[in-house]
């Protein structure tokens, strides 16, 4: 029987997998990495960049807020006066939990997976708001290039520490690049501003022993797939079925693989049932096939919002393996 890693590699290399890769099973994600991220349900707080966040009670997630002068960047042309890199934790004590977790993983079975979020595009609108960030790309491109270079510099500094501390085999990196129906920026603008940034980041990881790059964007981003390949992404996680996944597999299979196809919003909601989950899992597995595709909820971690959904999705994927393999 193939290990989780072996079965994953057979799937993404067009070989002979024995079963569907089941969601995140091949990734052992080291959430203990001291990225500075906070998850404070029911609270309002400032993070290590000075960004104000809220997670209202009853909501499924947190979001940055920018009203009433809360945005870090009020004027993009003066970003250098207000944006300051947070101090990166480097001590053995700060990394002890992450190192212990990494050392306990069987690297023949699973990928020791470094985690990083938010990504470069998200950081731009976290600092100033979505509308201002998008407008700045048009109105002040020089300042936006400078800001993006600064953010890339911080990521590379953090990446160097992560590589030293846990020697990850894989990176799971978040940066949402679109809505359900379109990318947030045009391909031309993405190529100008964000492709060079990610070529530096993912290039650094791969030059320093990282075998696999998994990028999360639970969105439409079919028009950006050629750039994903160029920047070194091996697996796009979060791919929604609004992307026409079978068409993407046909066009790009062998260069990149697609992890998703089970829209979390359609299965992970208060009135979910095992029957609903079974229907969506079966459709995803039948429609997208055995190669270059990993059935998975589109959400960006192996969790659910409503208890039992993730486990039920995994159970149904195993069932479809017995049916289709």
């Amino acid at each position: 029987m193939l290990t989780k890693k072996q079965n994953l590699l057979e799937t993404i290399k067009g070989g002979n997998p024995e079963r569907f890769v089941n969601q995140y099973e091949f990734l052992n994600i080291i959430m203990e990495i001291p990225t500075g991220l906070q998850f404070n349900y029911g609270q309002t707080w400032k993070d290590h960049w000075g960004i104000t966040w809220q997670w209202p009670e009853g909501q499924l997630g947190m979001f940055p807020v920018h009203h009433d002068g809360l945005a870090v960047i009020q004027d993009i042309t003066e970003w250098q006066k207000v944006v300051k890199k947070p101090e990166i934790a480097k001590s053995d004590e700060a990394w002890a939990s992450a190192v212990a977790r990494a050392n306990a993983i069987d690297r023949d079975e699973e990928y020791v997976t470094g985690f990083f979020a938010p990504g470069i595009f998200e950081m731009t609108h976290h600092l100033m708001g979505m509308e201002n960030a998008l407008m700045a790309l048009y109105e002040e491109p020089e300042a936006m290039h400078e800001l993006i270079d600064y953010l890339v510099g911080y990521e590379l500094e953090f990446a160097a520490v992560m590589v030293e501390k846990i020697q990850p085999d894989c990176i799971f990196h978040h940066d949402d690049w679109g809505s359900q129906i379109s990318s947030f920026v045009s391909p031309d603008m993405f190529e100008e501003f964000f492709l060079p940034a990610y070529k530096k980041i993912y290039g650094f990881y791969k030059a320093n022993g990282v075998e696999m790059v998994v990028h999360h964007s639970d969105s439409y981003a079919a028009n950006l797939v050629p750039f994903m390949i160029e920047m070194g992404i091996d697996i796009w996680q979060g791919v929604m079925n609004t992307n026409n996944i079978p068409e993407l597999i046909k066009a790009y299979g062998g260069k990149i693989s697609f992890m998703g196809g089970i829209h979390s919003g359609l299965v992970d909601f208060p009135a979910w049932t095992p029957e609903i989950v079974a229907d969506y899992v079966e459709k995803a597995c039948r429609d997208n096939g055995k190669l270059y595709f990993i059935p998975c909820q589109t959400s960006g971690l192996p969790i659910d919002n409503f208890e039992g959904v993730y486990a039920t999705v995994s159970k149904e994927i195993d069932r479809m393996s017995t049916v289709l393999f």
Side-chain angles (χ1 to χ4, degrees):
M1 181 177 177
L2 296 176
T3 67
K4 295 174 185 177
K5 281 183 71 171
Q6 289 169 339
N7 196 61
L8 178 278
L9 292 173
E10 290 294 314
T11 299
I12 68 173
K13 293 184 177 181
N16 294 291
E18 294 178 345
R19 59 196 180 274
F20 283 114
V21 178
N22 196 322
Q23 303 208 83
Y24 287 90
E25 66 175 1
F26 65 102
L27 298 177
N28 199 317
I29 303 171
I30 313 298
M31 296 302 294
E32 294 85 352
I33 290 171
T35 60
L37 283 177
Q38 301 175 55
F39 303 94
N40 300 326
Y41 179 72
Q43 299 182 34
T44 299
W45 71 96
K46 285 186 182 291
D47 71 7
H48 52 317
W49 288 91
I51 299 165
T52 301
W53 291 87
Q54 290 182 342
W55 190 340
E57 291 187 15
Q59 298 301 310
L60 299 182
M62 62 191 198
F63 55 91
V65 291
H66 306 96
H67 56 73
D68 299 328
L70 290 175
V72 175
I73 299 175
Q74 301 289 328
D75 180 346
I76 184 58
T77 64
E78 298 187 345
W79 72 267
Q80 291 173 316
K81 297 180 180 180
V82 293
V83 178
K84 306 299 178 185
K85 295 178 184 177
E87 183 177 353
I88 296 171
K90 299 179 180 179
S91 69
D92 290 343
E93 180 181 8
W95 282 83
S97 295
V99 170
R101 170 82 175 269
N103 288 343
I105 296 169
D106 181 351
R107 290 178 184 252
D108 291 328
E109 181 72 21
E110 301 172 321
Y111 286 92
V112 173
T113 303
F115 176 81
F116 193 90
I120 300 300
F121 175 76
E122 288 183 351
M123 277 298 300
T124 64
H125 68 81
H126 289 180
L127 287 165
M128 68 184 91
M130 179 67 82
E131 295 88 348
N132 288 336
L134 293 176
M135 289 301 296
L137 294 169
Y138 288 95
E139 295 180 340
E140 297 292 344
E142 184 176 348
M144 285 297 282
H145 276 296
E146 293 171 354
L147 174 62
I148 288 168
D149 286 345
Y150 187 79
L151 297 172
V152 169
Y154 173 80
E155 272 218 43
L156 291 174
E157 291 172 18
F158 193 95
V161 178
M162 188 194 302
V163 166
E164 176 190 351
K165 296 293 187 180
I166 66 169
Q167 298 85 49
D169 307 309
C170 176
I171 295 297
F172 185 44
H173 193 292
H174 278 220
D175 203 14
D176 290 336
W177 291 335
S179 69
Q180 294 188 46
I181 59 174
S182 68
S183 59
F184 289 129
V185 300
S186 70
D188 285 347
M189 186 163 282
F190 188 92
E191 182 178 22
E192 177 183 347
F193 287 93
F194 299 104
L195 176 61
Y198 275 101
K199 287 177 75 171
K200 292 176 184 176
I201 293 167
Y202 292 152
F204 174 86
Y205 279 120
K206 291 206 166 178
N208 285 274
V210 172
E211 303 169 20
M212 188 80 59
V213 171
V214 181
H215 183 100
H216 165 81
S217 180
D218 51 346
S219 66
Y220 176 90
N223 55 343
L224 306 180
V225 171
F227 302 131
M228 296 186 197
I229 295 168
E230 185 175 347
M231 68 178 65
I233 293 173
D234 298 288
I235 299 171
W236 168 18
Q237 191 280 325
V239 56
M240 290 184 167
N241 52 19
T242 51
N243 289 277
N244 194 338
I245 300 170
E247 185 177 275
L248 290 175
I249 291 171
K250 182 178 179 180
Y252 302 109
K255 298 178 181 178
I256 190 171
S257 292
F258 303 92
M259 181 175 173
I262 304 168
H263 191 329
S264 292
L266 298 177
V267 297
D268 193 6
F269 65 102
W272 78 276
T273 66
E275 292 76 21
I276 290 172
V277 170
D279 287 345
Y280 279 108
V281 170
E282 179 161 352
K283 179 172 175 55
C285 292
R286 290 190 182 278
D287 287 354
N288 300 312
K290 302 176 182 179
L291 299 178
Y292 315 119
F293 174 68
I294 299 166
C296 182
Q297 285 181 242
T298 52
S299 55
L301 284 170
I303 58 176
D304 47 32
N305 292 305
F306 299 95
E307 187 176 357
V309 172
Y310 187 86
T312 303
V313 171
S314 293
K315 177 182 175 182
E316 290 302 318
I317 292 170
D318 282 340
R319 180 181 68 83
M320 290 309 301
S321 286
T322 65
V323 172
L324 298 180
F325 282 81

